Amino acid sequence: MYNEAFMRRAIEISAQALEIPGTEPFGAVIVKDGRIVGEGINRSVVNHDPTSHGETEAIRDACRNLETVDLRGCELYSSCEPCALCVAAMNIAGIAALYYAADMGQAGEAIADLPEAARFPVDVDRLTHECGRQVTERIMPSEQHLHVEATKILQDWAALARSRV
């Protein structure tokens, strides 16, 4: 259930980008059972990591704090509508609900007059297009190689995992 205090915290985190070099104004918090268990701000530039979005950083922080990769039952509050990368991470982690402030259109309008060099390097439209398609239908050229060897390792790993249960 939505809680304004958690949204205000996500926005407060995003505002830190006004003072912290190498961050961008995208903040997020993960909430479980009415308390914040993870926080994140976009650190893509300072970390030299294009996946270091506010949402993914909050997911990483929550997983470390809870000592799990299973965030089922958690909610994510974000200062901006998450991109496809972050939505994928949220689904992988098991986030139960998303609440966001600015949407993609509002974010786009806010940065529309920035010089190209200062713009966020994410092409949101392309990301959304690519993530929803089979590998053979994507714009990025892709080829499969050495699938027998890779599949064998996956099968061996799965057998080990079954034996440990």
Side-chain angles (χ1 to χ4, degrees):
M1 178 180 290
Y2 174 75
N3 181 312
E4 185 175 315
F6 298 135
M7 183 62 76
R8 290 197 177 282
R9 178 61 185 147
I11 293 169
E12 181 181 312
I13 291 167
S14 76
Q16 292 174 9
L18 300 172
E19 298 175 6
I20 302 172
T23 62
E24 294 178 349
F26 301 97
V29 297
I30 306 286
V31 175
K32 182 171 186 170
D33 299 327
R35 69 180 182 91
I36 294 175
V37 296
E39 296 186 341
I41 188 169
N42 185 308
R43 296 182 182 280
S44 293
V45 174
V46 73
N47 288 347
H48 306 287
D49 177 357
T51 68
S52 184
H53 294 187
E55 297 86 354
T56 58
E57 289 299 313
I59 288 169
R60 291 170 182 149
D61 190 41
C63 288
R64 281 189 299 268
N65 290 335
L66 298 173
E67 297 181 342
T68 184
V69 294
D70 183 357
L71 298 181
R72 285 181 286 187
C74 292
E75 301 170 328
L76 190 146
Y77 288 76
S78 180
S79 65
C80 187
E81 177 185 355
C83 70
L85 168 91
C86 295
V87 171
M90 292 166 56
N91 278 277
I92 290 167
I95 298 293
L98 163 67
Y99 304 103
Y100 63 94
D103 65 26
M104 290 287 187
Q106 292 160 331
E109 288 174 19
I111 66 165
D113 62 347
L114 280 178
E116 193 64 33
R119 286 182 187 248
F120 311 120
V122 176
D123 181 340
V124 174
D125 291 335
R126 180 176 172 156
L127 182 62
T128 301
H129 176 272
E130 292 286 273
C131 289
R133 303 215 182 296
Q134 294 294 320
V135 70
T136 57
E137 299 171 355
R138 295 180 189 149
I139 296 168
M140 179 187 296
S142 302
E143 297 178 4
Q144 183 179 24
H145 301 279
L146 300 175
H147 69 279
V148 172
E149 292 88 339
T151 302
K152 173 75 169 100
I153 292 169
L154 292 168
Q155 292 166 340
D156 292 348
W157 179 86
L160 281 172
R162 281 188 217 94
S163 72
R164 294 180 185 140
V165 178

